[in-house]
Structures are given as C-alpha cells and as structure tokens.
Amino acid sequence: MTHPLFSDHPLPAFGAIEATQIEPALRELLDANRAEIAALLDVGADGWETLVVPIERMHHRLARAWSPVGHLNGVMNSEPLRAAYNACLPLLTAYHTELGQNERLCAAYQRVADREGADLGAEQRKVVENALRDFRLAGVSLPPERKQRFGEVMERLATAQAKFDENVLDATHAFSRHVTDEREIEGLPANALQRARDAAAAAGQDGWLLSLDAPTYQAVLSHAVSEPLRREFYEAWVTRASDRGPHAGQWDNGPLMAEILALRHEAANLVGFANFAEYSLATKMARDPAEVIEFLHELARVSRPAAQREFAELERFAGRPLASWDVGFYSERLRKERLQVSEEALRPYFPLPRVLAGLFTVVHRLYDVRIVANTAVETYHPDVRFFDVLDHDGTPRGGFFLDLYARPKKRGGAWMDECVGRLRLAGASALPIAYLVCNFSPPAGERPSLLTHYEVLTLFHEFGHGLHHLLTRVEVPSVAGINGVPWDAVELPSQFMENFAWRDEVLPLVSAHVESGEALPHDMLARLQASRTFQAGMQTARQLEFALFDFRLHAEYRPDRPPRIAETLAEVREAVAVLRPPEFNRFPHSFQHVFSGGYAAGYYSYKWAEVLSADAFGAFEEHGVFDAATARRFLSSILERGGSRDAMEAFVEFRGRKPEIGPLLRQMGLAA
Ligand SMILES: [Zn+2]
C-alpha cells in the first residue's frame, strides 16, 4: 500500500492528500480490513492476542487515515474535498454498522470475555466490555431485515448531519455587510475594524466589509453602538440555515432537523430503547433520563432567581426593556461600569505568544512535561504550527498541530481532535497527536493576535482536552486518551483547565502588555476575577435552556406527529429563560452540537462535567494550584487513564469521594 492515506508515518502527509484519491483509497482500506477480519474469524481467532489486538491495530490504521481528511474538511473546506468527504461518509458508516452487526465477531469477543476475562488487565477487560456493549447497540442480535434497516438509518443519518453542517457553513459565509459611513460602526474594537478594512480592500471595495464569523459577530453584538446594526447581525446569525432572515429558505435546515430526529428515534427503537435519549445514555455516566432531567432542574432552581435579578438589573441600567440584540451590548457596558473591566481593554495584556508560553509553563509545572515548537513538521496552512510534547528526560510523549486563527472556509468555534491515537501493541507503537483549533482574530501586520480573557479560557479549555489525549498511558487505542470516555465526563479535563486561567498564580504567567511588557496589574486582575460571577445566573440559564431543549426534544419524540422543535424550545424558555427572543429566532437551525455533532441528547454533559471539574479543582484550591502531589494524582487517576476505566471510579480515586455540586455553585457565586 503506497497511498499517502495508508502511510504509517507518524504524521499525516497533508500535501500529498488529493481529493480525487480519497474515496478509492478509503474503499481499499475498508476492504482490506474486511478481508482481514474474515480471515481472523475463519481461523477461529478468539483470544486477546489473536483477535482483539489485530482488530485494534486495523482500526487504529483506519482512524489515522481518515483523521486528516475529516480535519481538512473542517478547516480547509473546498468543493473537491467536500465531495470526497461526503462520498466517504456512507462507506464508513456502512462499515461500522456491518462490523457492529457481525454475529460471528460478537461471538468471538464473547469467547474472549468468557475464557480470558479473569486474566485480562483492567484496561483490556474494558476494551472487551465496550465492544460487547457496542455490538448490542448496533443491533447484532436483530433479525436480518431490522438489521438492514438499522444500517440504512445510520447511513442516512450521517449524510443528513453532514448536510446540516454544510448548510450552516454556507449560510454563514453568504452574509456580509458593507459599511462606508463611519458612524454605523461606532464602538467596534480596533482589531475587528482592521479585519473589516482588510476584507473590504481584498474585495476591491472602500470602507469596511463585516462578515458573520464568530469574532466579528461577537464584536458587533457587544460593542456596536448602532442598534440597527446589532439587530441586523443578530437576525443574520440566529436565522442562519433557516426559513427566516436575509437568506430565508436558501439553506433551510428545517426539513433535515425533522428527518434527523425521526431517524435517531427509529434507530433507538430498533435496538430496544424507548427513545434516543435512552439510547444516548447507554454509553454515558448519567444512569437514566430522569437523573438528567432532575439534575438540570436542580440547577435551574438554584440559578433562576439570580438570572431574573441580573436581567432586571440590566434593564434598569439600560433604562428600557431590552431586546435580544441589546443584551450583549448593555452587559458589556454594565460590566465596564461595575467592574471597571472590559474584554477589549484586556486584549493588549494577552498577546497570543505570551499566553501560549504561560500555558506551557503551567503544564510543565503541573505535569513535568515540556512543550517545544517543531518547525520541521509539514502543516496544511502557513498559520498552523506543530509542537512536540516531551517528558522530563526529553522522551517524546506526543505532539499537536495548533491552528488558532479564523479564516474563510474554516468551521467556527474551537475544538480538539485526535490526529493519531496512542498505541503500543504487539511490537507496534504510535504516539498521540492532536489537532487544537480555535478561531481567534489573526495578527494584524506586525502585531500579534491579542486575546480577550474569554479567548484565553477557550485556549486553556481546548488544551485540557489536548492533555487528556496527549498524556494518556493507555496502550490500546479504543480506550486511550479521550476514546471510550463517556461524553458527560469528557469535558472534565477541559473545564478543569479553565480554572487555572482565573488564578493569581497563573494570570501573571499568561499576561504581558503588548507594548510595555507589563503583566496584568493587580487591580485589573482583581476586577477580572470579580467578573467571573458577573451574570452567572443568566449564563447558567442559557446553558440550561440548550441542555433541556436538546434532552427533551429526544426524550419526548413521538413518531406519530411532527417533532415539536419550536414548541419544546418555547416550553423550555418559559421554564428557565429570562429573555424571550423575537419570533424570527431560529437558533435550533444552526445548533450544530445537537443536530450534527456528538451532543445529541448529551448537551447536558457540559453542566454535568462542570460539576466534576469544579469539584476536582477544589482539591487544588485546598492544597495549592501547583501542588505536586495533587497534580500527580490528577494525572494518574484521570488524565493518563483515558477511557480505560469507569469515569465515576476514576473520579472517586482522585477525590476520595463522589462528586458534589457545591463547588460549582460556589465558583459561579450561586451558592446560598
Ligand atoms: Zn470541550
């Protein structure tokens, strides 16, 4: 095999990937895996070494081949790549379904469990248990016609979800606003204006060209004095890919959403679950839908009075009733007045190179690993850099691609993804490699990218995911790093890392004024810390609105009527929200976490894991944020163990008890 996608080189050869070759290469790889599995079953392989190890190795090979394709589709989207990606999705889905429904294979795994179960290590036993669970979830014991239907449903679901994403991307890029009258953009921060200037110049226009990328959208909503401009951007944003707004009907996700919900419900039913919410929980830490709903309602009970108080205060401050497009703007002003701190005023203190260096220092002090730029590695864009992660004695632990700036054809938001998973099996080995992606404003001329504190938190967050992937000691790829970790526990290491970016001990390490080099002055630091609980009730209400909407939508779905998308959202807002958005709001149409990402009937995971992360960080507050023993325990109980053990057991090992909600409420300033 000579195709670049099959190479076992430690890093992807991005430059050698040609869109037209992706589909044939993937077909070849899948067929090779199929043949290999059939051969294993034909010789009666049913031991850890003879069956599980070869299968883990072939899936590692497949994941490593596919990862750069999926990644480039997300960050360097192009027509040929998109076509290749879309052609491959059904092939992959069909392959996974076929594997999950392979009765002979399932029986062989069962024999591994029966015969060797007692002798296997905990990590190995978890791999076999997970495999048996996944066979069940793929409908391995269903009669043939239902099996086939399950496969069709999963395949269509993958395609529909990918289309949902495309519609959001296309609708986002379709909108721009040309401004020639300076008065219209009053209040916008300098960096946003500079980008808009550059964009206009690039398009051969004078004035400013404002696009709908996330940094620009946030800048307009938080800072534009012009209410009509804020309203225009708000409307464009919340109507993306819908039947309303400036591109009404052009990329309408409405029908796709109904189809996606119907398909998920059908798939869940086929394999014996009452609805998709129950199916989703089969692989999560939460036990059943009632536990999730009760958890969210408990948080709502605590945070709603605070949210109502905060909103009333904001309206008093503004001196008038507020619309959805006013909230960000007046909140920023109130924050500035009350706390004498604004995100924009903080930017000069957080030049990206300093933030990165400080972050690496924090990681070094906690876990004794060094992070060093490696310019010899080929990347896929001039802005993207590669870093090695080295042990205290210089031994490589892994590496990551760092892709931080917003640019056209790149998906919005921030995320960490696996490029290569850790593997040490049967003489073969691979080090973990990650992608860390953000959408910060790019450097302007000679000046580095300047981050808001919110963006510093984002970077710490994604880096927390990165450490989970990169510092794993697990040798079997399917439970190494973030693999095999329940979705509602996967945000523990990421949200945990955010805590550091609020601390006295850490802020001086990540701040240095872009001109004077001065660290964040003490009074600004104190005011920034005080801002952490600013509008905490409103922020919590918003997360609960998303989480309850998502969970109820899937739990209450009924096939005999159209999905109650708008109705469910309205009911949830009635129960938890403090502000009623305008009638044209179509936020679900671009809610990618739930309709196309991995958070379906799982958005509650953010809050769930926040309880875990706040409680885990509590141990550092008790012993000191750089306490070596506490950090070592967090490393060995959580970070290094990946999905190789039960998430609750891992937490209890670290904390000495089960998680408690108190630390999160205190952190948010919501404790009674
Ligand atoms: Zn995350």
Side-chain angles (χ1 to χ4, degrees), residues 170-201:
D170 290 346
T172 306
H173 283 308
F175 178 88
S176 65
R177 174 67 151 74
H178 187 216
V179 176
T180 48
D181 182 348
E182 204 166 354
R183 282 169 303 185
E184 266 199 287
I185 46 171
E186 187 192 341
L188 283 192
N191 69 327
L193 287 177
Q194 185 59 49
R195 270 181 309 127
R197 266 253 187 255
D198 294 346

Side-chain angles (χ1 to χ4, degrees), residues 442-463:
E446 289 298 292
R447 218 184 52 179
S449 173
L450 302 177
L451 307 190
T452 62
H453 183 256
Y454 179 80
E455 289 171 329
V456 174
L457 291 174
T458 301
L459 187 63
F460 271 65
H461 177 106
E462 298 311 332
F463 215 80

Side-chain angles (χ1 to χ4, degrees), residues 308-323:
Q308 284 166 332
R309 224 172 24 244
E310 290 158 5
F311 188 66
E313 182 193 17
L314 190 64
E315 288 201 324
R316 264 199 314 279
F317 172 75
R320 64 178 176 87
L322 296 178

Side-chain angles (χ1 to χ4, degrees), residues 461-462 465 491 494 606:
H461 177 106
E462 298 311 332
H465 284 307
E491 297 294 335
S494 53
Y606 281 108

Side-chain angles (χ1 to χ4, degrees), residues 8-44:
D8 57 2
H9 187 269
L11 297 169
F14 291 108
I17 297 175
E18 281 182 42
T20 52
Q21 291 174 10
I22 292 171
E23 188 194 335
L26 183 77
R27 283 183 186 275
E28 202 179 310
L29 190 49
L30 294 177
D31 285 342
N33 280 4
R34 285 188 176 98
E36 213 176 311
I37 291 169
L40 288 172
L41 293 174
D42 286 344
V43 299

